[in-house]
Structure formats: structure tokens, C-alpha cells
Amino acid sequence: AQRVTQPEKLLSVFKGAPVELKCNYSYSGSPELFWYVQYSRQRLQLLLRHISRESIKGFTADLNKGETSFHLKKPFAQEEDSAMYYCALGGYNTDKLIFGTGTRLQVFP
Amino acid sequence: GAGVSQTPSNKVTEKGKYVELRCDPISEHNRLYWYRQTLGQGPEFLIYFQGTGAADDSGLPNDRFFAVRPEGSVSTLKIQRTERGDSAVYLCASSQNKGGSGANVLTFGAGSRLTVL
């Protein structure tokens, strides 16, 4: 079965501080991992996916199959990063995307 | 279209009534997904379509929920005999299958907020 765990409901940091949003997954096949973000009053949108290996808005995430994790990191948080972040799991033998419960990131000035 | 469009944006109904929620996906996308989201939770998968057919409906909670996509474009999520527990934001998303298996990037609509009194 596919399962995604985001242990933190809320993460609060000050501007300029490093950020790490945790995501662990459970999946028997070859996983595809994503981070989606929802800014206030906006739609849920893709932030990044592991196969792209991109840095988007300064965020990176590395898939660690040994630890079954896909933590989202940013070295210096900005106020505009305040949003809900959802980790999502798909796979090469499934076409449905399963979401975690989300972590609210608050960045204070 | 420019994006995924969902109507209505808000729907208030009474327990026991029938409700239809509509999704108009991005025209080039052949996959369409329905999710629902309640307060404090992430989007919960309901069903997805590949073309006109429901490829996976394993997330539909019970037989009061049904979805169609008759022409492979617009989809309607239908809820019969609504219950208070059906209150949620219903999200639609579409994606373009680039060939091969595996989940693709989803583009979401703004959602339809359903309140059952």
C-alpha cells in the first residue's frame, strides 16, 4: 500500500533560518515523489519532483530510498515561503498520487 | 482552457439531497483526477479517469459516490443522499500522460466546497 507521513503539522521559523520539512513514505514498488505547495488563497501546485533534481525557489529534496524519505530543504527561508506543503507519492506501477497530511510553514520576519 | 475549472465554487445543501460537481480539465490533458480534502488533512484520492473510462475508482468511499467523463473531457462527480460527513473541498486535477506508466504532474482546480447541513 502507498502511504505518506508528514510528522509536523506546523513548522515556524524566522526569516533567514534553514528549513527542513519531513516526509517519509511507504511503497513496495519504485516510488515517484513530489512536493506540492498551496499558498494562501491559491490552488495547490507542484513545487518539485524528485526525478527532475531541480531547485525551485531555493528548495531542494533528495530521495533517500534507504530511509524512505523525501525531506524538503531550504537553507534560508523567506517570508513568501509561508504556505502549506504536501508531500505526495506516486510510482512507476501506479497512476494515483497519494498525499500526506501537510505541513504548514510559517516564516516570521 | 487556461487551467482546470471547477463549478460550483461553493455548494450548500441539506442532508439527503443529490449533488453534482463539475470539472473542466485542461484540454490537452487526458487524465482527470478527483480528490477531496477536509480540514487538517491532505487531498484524499477518490477516482481517476484515463480518457472516458475510470481507470481507478478505489478511493470512492461508498456507492453514493459516482463520477463520469462521457466524452473524455468534462467530468461530473455525483453524490447521492448526501450526509454531513460528505462536507469537504472536492478537488479536480488533470495531467497529460506522456506515455508509459507512473503518476504525472497534476494541475489542480480551485476546488468545490461542499457543505451538507
Side-chain angles (χ1 to χ4, degrees):
Chain A
Q2 293 168 260
R3 191 165 63 242
V4 178
T5 303
Q6 293 182 252
E8 304 140 329
K9 281 200 172 296
L10 174 66
L11 184 61
S12 298
V13 300
F14 286 102
K15 176 183 172 181
V19 165
E20 181 178 67
L21 285 74
K22 292 184 168 48
C23 172
N24 287 90
Y25 68 90
S26 174
Y27 183 58
S28 57
S30 186
E32 280 195 68
L33 274 298
F34 304 79
W35 278 97
Y36 280 76
V37 61
Q38 188 165 26
Y39 300 102
S40 179
R41 299 187 183 87
Q42 294 188 27
R43 304 179 182 198
L44 194 58
Q45 61 185 285
L46 178 71
L47 179 63
L48 56 80
R49 57 191 306 198
H50 89 270
I51 63 171
S52 300
R53 296 184 175 275
E54 294 173 300
S55 173
I56 306 293
K57 298 184 179 182
F59 285 98
T60 59
D62 291 319
L63 177 60
N64 185 324
K65 292 187 177 180
E67 296 183 357
T68 59
S69 69
F70 188 58
H71 303 327
L72 184 67
K73 300 177 183 180
K74 184 169 182 176
F76 307 104
Q78 303 299 314
E79 289 179 66
E80 55 266 29
D81 296 329
S82 296
M84 280 295 298
Y85 290 81
Y86 295 95
C87 183
L89 167 67
Y92 288 101
N93 57 352
T94 180
D95 295 315
K96 70 184 184 188
L97 207 56
I98 301 299
F99 287 81
T101 51
T103 298
R104 177 172 297 281
L105 175 64
Q106 290 183 331
V107 182
F108 295 109
Chain B
V4 178
S5 175
Q6 291 188 247
T7 55
S9 55
N10 273 288
K11 175 71 177 180
V12 180
T13 191
E14 293 179 341
K15 178 183 171 183
K17 299 290 187 183
Y18 170 79
V19 165
E20 287 191 353
L21 305 175
R22 174 189 166 109
C23 174
D24 198 344
I26 292 173
S27 55
E28 305 85 55
H29 288 181
N30 63 1
R31 290 188 177 182
L32 185 147
Y33 296 75
W34 283 100
Y35 287 82
R36 74 175 175 181
Q37 188 171 22
T38 53
L39 197 62
Q41 299 298 314
E44 173 194 4
F45 172 80
L46 296 178
I47 183 172
Y48 96 88
F49 290 86
Q50 175 86 29
T52 60
D56 187 337
D57 64 358
S58 61
L60 294 178
N62 52 59
D63 62 5
R64 295 187 296 105
F65 288 75
F66 190 70
V68 296
R69 195 186 185 201
E71 297 179 359
S73 177
V74 171
S75 176
T76 304
L77 178 65
K78 307 180 180 191
I79 311 174
Q80 298 178 320
R81 305 183 303 281
T82 52
E83 299 178 356
R84 291 193 180 90
D86 299 335
S87 296
V89 175
Y90 288 82
L91 296 170
C92 178
S94 66
S95 74
Q96 186 169 20
N97 182 14
K98 295 186 185 298
S101 61
N104 291 281
V105 174
L106 271 56
T107 300
F108 280 87
S112 292
R113 181 178 297 278
L114 174 65
T115 303
V116 182
L117 302 177

